[in-house]
Amino acid sequence: MVTVIISHECKNYSDWRKVFDADEANRLKAGFKIMGVYHSVDNTNKITILGEAPSVEAINGFMAKPELKDALEKGGVIGMPDVKILNRT
């Protein structure tokens, strides 16, 4: 199990959240369990997602899927997400 932290900015949080929620089936297929979704206290359009995945390969496979790229565009994500994959020590 690895911990995954994904941060990005979007154009509009409400629009992004609808797309994020609708993509749950794709996350579940990849074994990517969301532990929490946060936004900056200064800017609600700066999002951080905390989750767990079964392996580095699983999360990398999920992140490489064309469906995710489509969802990011549809959700108004600005730029490339910053993805950190961590092992608990």
Side-chain angles (χ1 to χ4, degrees), residues 39-53:
H39 60 74
S40 170
V41 295
D42 298 331
N43 181 348
T44 57
N45 293 327
K46 289 187 177 181
I47 309 299
T48 298
I49 302 162
L50 177 62
E52 291 182 335

